[in-house]
Amino acid sequence: MASIFQDEKSLLVVTCSFGVAPILAQELFDLGFRVHTVSDSYVETEGTLEDCMRLNLHLRTGHRVLYALDKFRCRNKDDLYTEASQIPWERYLDPDGYFSIDRTIRNPTIRNDQIASLVLKDAIADRMRGRFGRRPNSGHDRTDACIFLFWIGTQATIYLDTTGESLSFRGYRSISSDAPMRESLAAALVLASGWNRQSPFLNPMCGCGTLAIEALWIAQNRPPALFRENFSFMHFSCFEPALWTDLRSEALKRFLESRSTPAVAYASDLDSRMVEATKANAEIAEVTDELRIECCDVFCSPHPPAKDGVAILNPPYGGRIGGDHVTLLETYRSVGAFFAQAAVDGYRGFLFTGDPQLCEEAEMVVRRDRLFYSGDMECHFLEDPRLTEKALRRLAKRNPDLRLPRQENPVPTVDSERI
């Protein structure tokens, strides 16, 4: 018997934060998917609805997994209604259920995006009423079946949004910081660092612990949505629960086999409230045994000797938490001092910031500058930030007992690039 979930392939679009798409594409490739297109904020592949379930379970850097139902020429709302009415919605929606519509629209005939959503909703409702004599309810709640309309110019595509609430929300962050990093972005930075998943992972200035927790989940091969209880695909009328049970059971088995990994993360923060938040979140994420957390200044953050360890810092900057420039500059100087010490003990350093000028003013040079976006803010992922030789000499003079690296020639800063 033919299965809609297993047998019908279509275009799949996985969305993500700007700049993350190449990392997401690698995730898809590692999961056995052929990558078709890599854009700034999405990756295209091909697969079935069963494949969508697998992607929702395993992807760390994606936000939503979209399954294309139809692509068509669409000049105005009349075209939208006509084409949407021809989609066999009765195959996917329950006449006694519920659905929501999200959209991205840039068409000169549509001045209010809500109009397009209402037209699509009417097309779906009329089709369902014609088949069943009744229609599902609709609204803005994304905890049930979700539909996505992408309409640019005269081309429109209607998708089943198989995810619902973004994959970025893992569910372990019971306590947050003032400006928390998205979990999906944190995972992308860990993957971009090239961490070997065995050496120690350092996260001073940890905030609520997102980077450290994501690193440990990666090391443990834990699917980020392993225990998530609700996805949009579960509310499609064609959903096959047995397929989901098998997928999750297989993933749980692999996770339990990998959980004995020796990887340890060291996190710290000067704010005792953030230390407690990290402890609480780590407990929910089930990584308390692998996470060492201390309350201390970044300069004093632990960095036990390691071979090819990684340290990632996400300090305050102008658009994140903020603060006066003098205080921020002093913070970045302490960050540079920490990286100098950590380098001696075998760590490669990475700094995520929305204000790279602070690094320059703190007399740090970097090997590579890669662009990401945190929300709508352009941010820089700076690889191998090091104090200049002059700054190192001053640091050594003030702290004669510190073991600091010799840096005869500063590391040249390269041009920014989007990865």
Side-chain angles (χ1 to χ4, degrees):
M1 181 177 178
S3 165
I4 296 175
F5 254 71
Q6 288 184 295
D7 300 331
E8 298 184 10
K9 283 192 172 184
S10 185
L11 171 71
L12 304 184
V13 177
V14 186
T15 65
C16 61
S17 296
F18 278 85
V20 171
I23 301 171
L24 173 59
Q26 185 63 51
E27 278 200 275
L28 287 164
F29 180 81
D30 292 343
L31 288 169
F33 289 82
R34 185 175 180 180
V35 175
H36 295 171
T37 302
V38 181
S39 184
D40 283 341
S41 59
Y42 66 85
V43 178
E44 291 182 350
T45 184
E46 183 183 36
T48 63
L49 283 170
E50 182 180 20
D51 290 325
C52 291
M53 290 196 297
R54 190 152 66 95
L55 293 175
N56 276 296
L57 177 62
H58 289 284
L59 287 177
R60 302 182 187 280
T61 63
H63 290 170
R64 290 189 173 88
V65 182
L66 308 177
Y67 176 93
L69 292 180
D70 195 14
K71 181 176 182 178
F72 49 89
R73 186 166 183 260
C74 190
R75 296 163 299 178
N76 51 48
K77 63 181 182 180
D78 293 333
D79 287 348
L80 176 62
Y81 180 89
T82 299
E83 296 293 337
S85 298
Q86 297 177 25
I87 295 174
W89 293 105
E90 61 274 11
R91 303 179 75 217
Y92 309 106
L93 299 179
D94 184 342
D96 298 314
Y98 179 97
F99 70 91
S100 64
I101 296 173
D102 199 1
R103 71 271 178 185
T104 294
I105 299 171
R106 290 198 293 273
N107 177 279
T109 70
I110 303 297
R111 295 184 179 181
N112 185 341
D113 290 359
Q114 185 63 29
I115 293 176
S117 293
L118 290 172
V119 171
L120 177 54
K121 181 202 72 172
D122 288 343
I124 296 171
D126 292 347
R127 171 90 184 197
M128 294 291 286
R129 189 181 291 109
R131 295 299 186 276
F132 299 102
R134 61 193 190 281
R135 49 148 292 185
N137 291 324
S138 60
H140 302 291
D141 188 353
R142 295 188 58 79
T143 60
D144 218 297
C146 299
I147 296 160
F148 185 76
L149 169 63
F150 186 77
W151 184 6
I152 304 297
T154 58
Q155 290 294 320
T157 307
I158 296 176
Y159 300 89
L160 294 178
D161 177 351
T162 67
T163 306
E165 184 180 44
S166 174
L167 293 173
S168 182
F169 302 114
R170 312 285 204 232
Y172 59 73
R173 213 150 63 183
S174 63
I175 305 176
S176 190
S177 57
D178 291 336
M181 178 183 290
R182 273 189 174 184
E183 293 92 322
S184 55
L185 177 56
L189 298 184
V190 174
L191 293 172
S193 74
W195 180 49
N196 63 18
R197 310 184 186 193
Q198 296 177 341
S199 299
F201 179 88
L202 308 184
N203 182 212
M205 310 182 81
C206 65
C208 57
T210 306
L211 275 163
I213 291 171
E214 290 296 323
L216 289 171
W217 275 18
I218 289 170
Q220 294 173 353
N221 197 33
R222 172 173 175 153
L226 184 59
F227 297 111
R228 176 166 162 167
E229 297 181 352
N230 187 58
F231 291 92
S232 173
F233 63 73
M234 294 176 173
H235 303 279
F236 299 148
S237 57
C238 54
F239 173 54
E240 299 181 40
L243 294 178
W244 174 243
T245 298
D246 290 344
L247 282 171
R248 195 161 68 166
S249 297
E250 180 185 352
L252 178 61
K253 180 181 177 181
R254 288 200 303 269
F255 161 57
L256 293 176
E257 290 173 348
S258 305
R259 197 172 184 182
S260 59
T261 174
V264 175
Y266 294 83
S268 64
D269 202 287
L270 183 59
D271 188 338
S272 61
R273 295 170 302 172
M274 289 299 95
V275 171
E276 293 305 312
T278 298
K279 289 179 179 178
N281 294 339
E283 183 173 359
I284 296 172
E286 301 179 338
V287 294
T288 53
D289 292 341
E290 297 83 13
L291 181 61
R292 313 288 186 264
I293 173 73
E294 292 188 18
C295 184
C296 62
D297 182 81
V298 60
F299 186 73
C300 302
S301 297
H303 44 88
K307 182 179 180 181
D308 199 27
V310 162
I312 300 181
L313 273 71
N314 178 30
Y317 43 84
R320 174 185 173 270
I321 300 178
D324 67 272
H325 188 77
V326 174
T327 301
L328 286 174
L329 183 55
E330 194 59 36
T331 297
Y332 275 66
R333 285 171 177 156
S334 294
V335 167
F338 168 80
F339 279 130
Q341 297 176 82
V344 175
D345 284 320
Y347 292 89
R348 294 180 296 115
F350 296 85
L351 180 64
F352 186 75
T353 179
D355 190 354
Q357 184 65 32
L358 282 167
C359 295
E360 294 182 26
E361 293 181 35
E363 297 182 88
M364 278 188 277
V365 291
V366 301
R367 187 179 303 278
R368 189 180 182 191
D369 179 354
R370 293 179 282 184
L371 297 182
F372 290 89
Y373 279 76
S374 181
D376 59 357
M377 176 177 288
E378 182 179 283
C379 293
H380 299 253
F381 193 47
L382 307 176
E383 180 179 347
D384 195 17
R386 299 186 185 182
L387 292 173
T388 63
E389 186 177 3
K390 182 179 178 181
L392 272 175
R393 284 199 302 267
R394 282 202 306 270
L395 180 62
K397 187 175 181 180
R398 293 196 305 267
N399 303 273
D401 295 331
L402 287 182
R403 293 184 302 119
L404 298 173
R406 293 183 179 180
Q407 189 172 335
E408 297 177 357
N409 297 306
V411 178
T413 301
V414 300
D415 292 337
S416 299
E417 59 179 270
R418 187 188 306 280
I419 67 169

